[in-house]
Amino acid sequence: MRTLAIATVALLASGAAALAAPASVSVTIGPELREKAVKTYGVKDVDRLAQHLREDVERELARTGAYEDGRVELVLTDAVPNRPTFKQMSDTPGLSMQSFGIGGAAIEGQAVAADGAVTPLRYRWYETDIRQTWANWIWTDAEHTFDRFARNLSQGRRVVAQR
């Protein structure tokens, strides 16, 4: 009998959790970054970055259940690659993939909870030590920024830049 009661409570709890929808996440690209994408980085690369940010945030919010039935609206305001993008390589003869530098990204936006409460979001992180970037690929530091942002947001931490 006790097992039946525990199973019933577990079933009811899982049913209540199933009623809540995961947060919807939208990512747009800020005007300055869009301009950089067209002129310097390549639109495909920056669009792919926005997609990675959305996927990272969706995954972490689904994992923790944060902002269920809410929405997260983000703007990717800046991104700096660690190595030259393919557009930069094609636009600048002689540029080498062996070139590397400090990268990162900046994100702004808001989280709207199911009850309508709005939380402004702002996060930026750029590597500060070039010795940490020699093994990175084109957008490694930007993707690290997205991972950190998504993890902090999903765990209810204050989403503010560390550096």
Side-chain angles (χ1 to χ4, degrees):
M1 188 64 159
R2 180 177 234 184
T3 306
L4 179 62
I6 292 172
T8 303
V9 169
L11 182 62
L12 289 174
S14 68
L19 295 176
S24 68
V25 179
S26 65
V27 177
T28 58
I29 298 169
E32 291 176 12
L33 182 56
R34 177 61 66 186
E35 188 175 324
K36 274 190 205 176
V38 170
K39 291 181 178 178
T40 308
Y41 297 150
V43 175
K44 250 187 192 177
D45 273 345
V46 174
D47 285 344
R48 200 171 304 125
L49 277 179
Q51 179 183 348
H52 282 269
L53 173 58
R54 183 182 53 77
E55 290 169 354
D56 286 352
V57 172
E58 284 176 342
R59 180 190 65 243
E60 288 299 318
L61 293 180
R63 187 178 64 77
T64 62
Y67 293 103
E68 284 182 338
D69 293 327
R71 65 184 189 277
V72 177
E73 302 160 348
L74 301 174
V75 179
L76 182 57
T77 58
D78 189 34
V80 177
N82 292 102
R83 294 194 183 269
T85 65
F86 295 110
K87 180 172 178 9
Q88 288 175 313
M89 295 279 291
S90 66
D91 289 349
T92 310
L95 188 59
S96 170
M97 276 305 275
Q98 293 180 350
S99 302
F100 64 93
I102 294 171
I107 305 160
E108 293 181 5
Q110 63 183 10
V112 182
D115 64 0
V118 177
T119 304
L121 304 172
R122 174 186 250 155
Y123 191 82
R124 62 187 300 123
W125 184 85
Y126 297 89
E127 180 59 69
T128 58
D129 187 350
I130 198 156
R131 294 172 296 178
Q132 300 298 320
T133 64
W134 68 272
N136 290 350
W137 187 233
I138 298 171
W139 295 106
T140 301
D141 284 339
E143 291 173 358
H144 284 314
T145 304
F146 301 162
D147 290 340
R148 288 180 178 119
F149 170 79
R151 209 170 22 256
N152 287 342
L153 179 64
S154 71
Q155 293 174 358
R157 292 189 195 131
R158 188 168 160 225
V159 184
V160 176
Q162 298 300 316
R163 44 179 159 165

